[in-house]
Amino acid sequence: QLQLQESGPGLVKPSETLSLTCTVSGASISSSGHYWGWVRQPPGKGLEWIGSLYSSGSTYYNPSLQSRVAISVDTSKNQFSLKLNSVTAADTAVYYCTRPRSGYVAGGEYWGQGTLVTVSS
Amino acid sequence: QSVLTQPPSVSGAPGQRVTISCTGSSSNIGAGYDVHWYQQLPGTAPKLLIYGNSNRPSGVPDRFSGSKSGTSASLAITGLQAEDEADYYCQSYDSSLRGVFGGGTKLTVL
């Protein structure tokens, strides 16, 4: 059974870089033939797609975040990561790592439990 | 302002049928991109309910169904149950294969 688990700091200062890692178990990122992605949800608000990455390294990003976001993969650790720089309070959210269903770039057939990241000094 | 438009809330009595609409444009749903639906219970991660417009993942009851026409999609829930009370989100893609979500609809079971 595929499982995703987010990890990283729960508190980030304004203007700094938010860094999260998603550890995948039950499947190999490099051989799965799937995209892997991130979705966030500000407290009390809706879902926002952040971006997705294929095991080959190709990426798709939300245009509204593209200048600040990077998603990368470490196949040796079976992990993929999110970096979001120059954060503000508006980036406070629960961040989910996901694996879309086969053939799809975005969304999630599988989701991590989510991790709350608060941007505050 | 979400790219896909959903009603903020819908409600229905147990046993009834409710529908949730998801309205897009010619650059997303109307361009032929598939629509997915998610159910989010309070305090939990979203769960894939419908994929590819009308397909149910294994384990999702057939009380849930999806459809798509033109620039819109709909989620229908029949035989409404108390445990269906949740937030529901539609998701599709734009012309650059970027993911887009609806703003979400809160379903209340009366």
Side-chain angles (χ1 to χ4, degrees), chain B residues 96-108:
Chain B
S96 303
L97 275 186
R98 270 64 171 179
V100 290
F101 279 101
T105 298
K106 181 176 182 59
L107 169 63
T108 300

Side-chain angles (χ1 to χ4, degrees), chain B residues 43 49 66 80 96:
Chain B
L49 208 56
L80 204 57
S96 303

Side-chain angles (χ1 to χ4, degrees), chain B residues 16-20 39 49 63-65 75-81 84 88 107:
Chain B
Q16 285 190 333
R17 177 181 186 271
V18 297
T19 62
I20 298 173
Q39 176 193 60
L49 208 56
R63 301 187 296 106
F64 296 91
S65 63
L75 172 71
I77 310 172
T78 58
L80 204 57
Q81 300 179 2
D84 298 333
Y88 293 83
L107 169 63

Side-chain angles (χ1 to χ4, degrees), chain B residues 23-77:
Chain B
T23 302
S25 68
S26 58
S27 64
N28 41 66
I29 297 176
Y33 293 109
D34 282 352
V35 177
H36 313 311
W37 290 91
Y38 302 88
Q39 176 193 60
Q40 186 176 32
L41 298 171
T44 69
K47 168 190 171 184
L48 182 64
L49 208 56
I50 298 287
Y51 69 93
N53 307 317
S54 59
N55 302 292
R56 284 186 306 276
S58 174
V60 173
D62 60 6
R63 301 187 296 106
F64 296 91
S65 63
S67 64
K68 173 187 154 184
S69 178
T71 59
S72 296
S74 290
L75 172 71
I77 310 172

Side-chain angles (χ1 to χ4, degrees), chain A residues 11-16 87-89 92 118-121:
Chain A
L11 181 64
V12 181
K13 290 182 168 53
S15 80
E16 295 191 345
V87 297
T88 69
T92 294
T118 301
V119 178
S120 174
S121 55

